[in-house]
Amino acid sequence: MAFETELARALEDLFESERKVRPFKKGTYLFQEGEPATDIFWLRSGKVQVGKVIPDGRELTIRVSQKSDMLIEMTLFEQQAAYMMNARAIENGEVWTVSRQSLEHMLTSRPELMVSWLRYTQTDHLRTQSKLRDLVLNGKKGGVYSTLIRMGNTFGKQTADGLFLDVPLTNQEMANLCGTSREVVNRLLADLKKQGVIKMKRNQITLCDIDYLKKEINCENCPIDICQID
């Protein structure tokens, strides 16, 4: 999610000043829920799946983060802060890191940045709330359809066939995003493909008729910065 210009510039300067580079491999964790929250991560390349494991053992993906996104999955200004999510790489990539204390010091020393930070966290909360609303109110079908719409807004690249989703996800990873089972995703995607609403090739999807998906879930056309996956 985009930061306001002044906050974005200050964050970039902070990362540049420490310049701690950390490569990662697909399938590895940058951090896991419950671990001490020591660092903030800025993605320079690759994609990372952020989510939680719920009590019955299933995984719920909250979002997929990509280049230029920051991973700040903690409560700031707590002495014993812990990561509140898991962050697993779905592509090889690289992050820059800074300490949590460095970010806290920057925010407390510049009140105008603290105000921007509060606006950022409020928008992030609204985005998560919107996704959970769709999963609860629209059922399994609505969960899959709304996730496809959000993926189009986040990763979509316009082609002659429609919006190509530039993120390789297995049907199980898609199910984690939708809060449902792989079998449900398989069936619903197959139905959409049969109707010509989507095209699929090697776990990659093109949305040929995004308006159909929006109509089916009574889409409210939320602002683009709310209706996204990352």
Side-chain angles (χ1 to χ4, degrees):
M1 181 171 62
F3 294 95
E4 295 181 12
T5 302
E6 188 174 7
L7 177 58
R9 189 179 299 114
L11 286 167
E12 289 179 13
D13 289 345
L14 180 63
F15 277 91
E16 285 277 7
S17 67
E18 297 199 12
R19 199 62 181 273
K20 297 178 182 177
V21 181
R22 176 177 164 185
F24 57 82
K25 296 289 187 181
K26 178 180 178 180
T28 60
Y29 285 89
L30 276 67
F31 53 81
Q32 291 183 274
E33 184 178 0
E35 292 179 348
T38 55
D39 293 319
I40 311 299
F41 298 80
W42 186 18
L43 274 171
R44 308 304 296 157
S45 61
K47 293 185 177 70
V48 174
Q49 181 175 289
V50 178
K52 298 177 72 73
V53 176
I54 56 182
D56 65 6
R58 289 184 294 133
E59 187 175 2
L60 175 63
T61 300
I62 302 300
R63 67 177 181 276
V64 176
S65 296
Q66 57 183 330
K67 182 180 178 180
S68 298
D69 288 337
M70 291 189 187
L71 306 179
I72 312 172
E73 311 305 321
M74 65 186 72
T75 301
L76 296 179
F77 307 106
E78 281 194 5
Q79 190 170 4
Q80 302 295 328
Y83 291 115
M84 302 171 68
M85 302 280 182
N86 299 316
R88 182 171 61 85
I90 57 176
E91 292 181 356
N92 294 342
E94 180 181 278
V95 292
W96 290 2
T97 69
V98 296
S99 68
R100 172 172 57 87
Q101 289 80 5
S102 294
L103 175 60
E104 292 172 346
H105 175 72
M106 183 190 79
L107 294 176
T108 54
S109 61
R110 297 179 61 183
E112 74 280 9
L113 296 183
M114 180 67 82
V115 173
S116 295
W117 178 262
L118 291 174
R119 282 197 288 262
Y120 160 78
T121 55
Q122 181 182 39
T123 302
D124 188 50
H125 172 72
L126 289 173
R127 181 183 294 180
T128 302
Q129 188 179 65
S130 173
K131 177 182 177 181
L132 294 177
R133 176 201 63 202
D134 287 344
L135 296 179
V136 171
L137 296 182
N138 294 318
K140 296 175 181 178
K141 177 179 175 180
V144 173
Y145 286 15
S146 66
T147 297
L148 286 172
I149 293 167
R150 283 182 165 82
M151 290 176 68
N153 290 338
T154 308
F155 304 110
K157 293 186 175 180
Q158 193 65 52
T159 68
D161 291 330
L163 274 179
F164 171 69
L165 305 185
D166 188 23
V167 54
L169 292 178
T170 66
N171 283 8
Q172 182 58 62
E173 290 169 333
M174 180 76 175
N176 294 343
L177 276 168
C178 303
T180 188
S181 68
R182 179 171 55 84
E183 291 74 19
V184 168
V185 170
N186 290 346
R187 175 173 56 80
L188 290 172
L189 292 182
D191 288 345
L192 291 173
K193 183 179 179 181
K194 185 176 180 180
Q195 296 175 66
V197 178
I198 67 171
K199 289 184 177 180
M200 293 185 64
K201 185 177 182 181
R202 298 196 185 100
N203 291 327
Q204 292 192 304
I205 299 173
T206 298
L207 305 181
C208 305
D209 189 355
I210 194 171
D211 289 334
Y212 172 87
L213 300 174
K214 291 181 177 181
K215 182 179 178 181
E216 286 293 297
I217 65 168
N218 298 311
C219 178
E220 298 177 357
N221 290 312
C222 298
I224 195 70
D225 60 340
I226 298 295
C227 188
Q228 293 197 25
I229 288 293
D230 65 353

